[in-house]
Amino acid sequence: MGKKVLIVGGVAGGASAAARLRRLDENAEIIMFERGNYISFANCGLPYYIGETIKDRNKLLVQTPEAMKKRFNIDVRINSDVISVNSIKKTIQVKSSDRGAYEESYDYLILSPGAKAIRPGIAGIESSRILTLRNIPDTDRIKTFIDKEDVNSAVVIGGGYVGIEMVENLKKKGLNVTLVEAAPHILAPFDSDMVASVEKELEQNSVDLILNDGVKFFNDNKNNVEITLNSGTKITTDLVILSIGVSPDTNFLKNSGIKLGVKGHIIVNDRLQTSAQNIYAVGDAISVTDFVNNQTTAIALAGPANKQGRIAADNIAGLNSTYKGTQGTAIIKVFGLTAASTGNNERTLKRLNIPYKVIYVHPSSHASYYPSSSPLSLKLIFDDSGKILGAQATGYDGVDKRIDVIAVTMRLGGTVYDLTELELSYAPPFSSAKDPVNMAGFVAENVLSGKMEVITPEAFTNYDKENTVLLDVRSPIEYNNGHIDGAINIPVDALRERIGELDKNKEIIEYCQVGLRGYIASRILSQNGYKVKNITGGYKSASILNFKPGKFTHKAPISQPEAALDTANIPYDESLDACGLCCPGPLMQVKKSIDELDTGKVLKVTASDPGFYEDVKAWCTRTNNELVDLNKNGADIIAFIKKNSKSSILENSVKNTVVEPKDNKTIVVFSGDLDKAIASFIIANGAASMGKKVTMFFTFWGLNILRKHEKVSVKKGFMDSMFGFMMPRGSKKLKLSKMNMLGMGTKMMRKVMKNKNVTSLEDLIKSAIDSGIQIVACQMSMDVMGIKKEELIDGVKIGGVGYYLGEAEDSNVNLFI
């Protein structure tokens, strides 16, 4: 007869240990004890059965006692509660529903008791309407209560993984749902700058979110429960799901001689041995070593529990396996959003006084020109040597594989430098040639090599701003739609020409939308003698810090479940697909489409840039168009905009008359350089999209921008012909003002713009003409340069200085480029 092995508890750790041990040792006697009816079930799937995403209850049952006996010859004893362990006598005491109380001996013992839901001693907590979710019976109670009782509202207490999953699934059942979290933010593994987007997703899906406020007491009113919070806020609800955490289910071990931690976790070594001979422990009930910081911790996750069960079985079978620590890699679905993390967050590193650096990137999930591309946000934490300490990501697509790639790199001892070299699969539907993981590595490498000094948005909020200049290097349309208070706006493409506007005696703190243009700006400024820091992650990371949940609405229970919004029922006249475009592309397309509509008509817009959700609100407010509806469908943002005929007016209180404000924009384009031409048209399109009348006056070298690409046969004198031969013919022949490098720089610029989905100069020109921007060629300059009207692109007017001055008279902005 082989060795006798008892296993206390099933699910992930115990069931894995039993199956592995049998595969290694056919002669061992294996007995598994389970307190309830179910030895192995998909506990991570329980919320989704309640929400009916998983409709078949049997699919939650991974293994049954009968199947374990038949395939693995394991004696499974359900409804058998192990009430004590005697490590000296090598026996356990069992209380069974069918065998009564009895003693069982062992050669080896594996403990997998798991953890139990915490129910603190709060007044009123014993109400039958206050339930927890940990196992199959809990699931059945919650589902039965919702299906059979008159339940219209629910409050979830606790914003951990299970709590958030319950919020989503209760919402899917048609309930009014409120989430209450005592901490300042939900989902403790994430830092506040990343988890804010998850909180925003909850609120956008009509979840009432209450943060930084715990429960004071409950009051059961028979038909409902009244919850009083520490702030004095009162909530009345039909159902409460208590999800404030778990504690190790190890009370039965107190007199066993097995060493426990302060909070009751079983202490084990790297072979998962306890302090008692021949006793191993696995799963949620044990303390583990943190893979990143080497400190003792407790992390309740199914993946590590399965691996631990396998390792314990290996060691009993003589294979000498070791557990190398828990990394804490985890992921969660929150309506359409995905959030994932691995390693340590900033809070943990600060608590342990471990130095670190942080960068953010906001790349697209796959090639932006391929349909359904959506941005994701990725935070990378690393030290001065390049060692990766942790990562967090949120987005609507591709989050899982990016965090998994980083988690694997960490596990294998890789650094941020290795991220730059990873060769990952690429095709437009799946990724980009430079994967987001590569991009994060590139940015981190730039920081470590000194090419860029960064500051996090959170650090900037506490920064000494007295001796700094805050610079926004985005386009005017982006700046006008929202910026950090106190920032001045100089677009990156105009930075070289306007660099003299910045004070060299002050430190420049600059930012763009997501960080890329900010890096370019930092390189320009630092190489011109400025001390500069780039806000990593740009305005996108900075603005999310300002998110605060809306005021608690204290919704009354409703008689019918709320129906999901059906956007198909909203009538519209035209539709616009702006998916895949990055800011300011969607707004420019909206402006163009709205201009083509008659007053009172409705435009339906679909965009994938998450920033569009707030951008379109600001745009409609500033342009006096009506935002009929705004909602999200996964990664897509859907807006319905009604064209309004109202125009901005100023009332003259003295004359009691209404006068038009001088709000036009004029731009004199003197330069024929590619970068300056792009800047000119970005500014012009941005202003036009805000409803401003724009006139662009092209003179001298700027006329080359307007020339047709093909040669036009016109009669000219010798000198005029020579001028035409020497000058670039059209926008495609323009050169960069700096770093042209015999045309290589120009080609690189155009390639980068294409890869980053930045609108080309040719498309900007077309957009300007289509938007009604007045493009005027100076007649005098045409005469001097020997350029004929026939050589210019369609849509160009010919005018003189008088025309320009007339337009400038009605403008409040006049730029010379």
Side-chain angles (χ1 to χ4, degrees), residues 328-388:
T329 306
I331 192 168
I332 185 170
K333 172 185 177 294
V334 186
F335 295 96
L337 190 73
T338 303
S341 67
T342 188
N344 288 179
N345 58 23
E346 285 194 72
R347 284 193 305 277
T348 299
L349 297 170
K350 286 177 181 176
R351 176 172 55 83
L352 298 174
N353 293 317
I354 297 175
Y356 65 90
K357 296 181 183 296
V358 173
I359 61 95
Y360 305 83
V361 291
H362 302 284
S364 294
S365 57
H366 59 251
S368 55
Y369 54 82
Y370 188 87
S372 300
S373 169
S374 62
L376 59 86
S377 298
L378 178 59
K379 177 177 184 176
L380 189 65
I381 308 173
F382 52 98
D383 66 14
D384 286 333
S385 70
K387 177 185 176 182
I388 305 169

Side-chain angles (χ1 to χ4, degrees), residues 585-600:
L587 286 185
M588 291 173 61
Q589 293 298 315
V590 168
K591 168 64 170 60
K592 177 183 176 182
S593 297
I594 284 290
D595 284 348
E596 294 173 354
L597 286 181
D598 294 332
T599 299

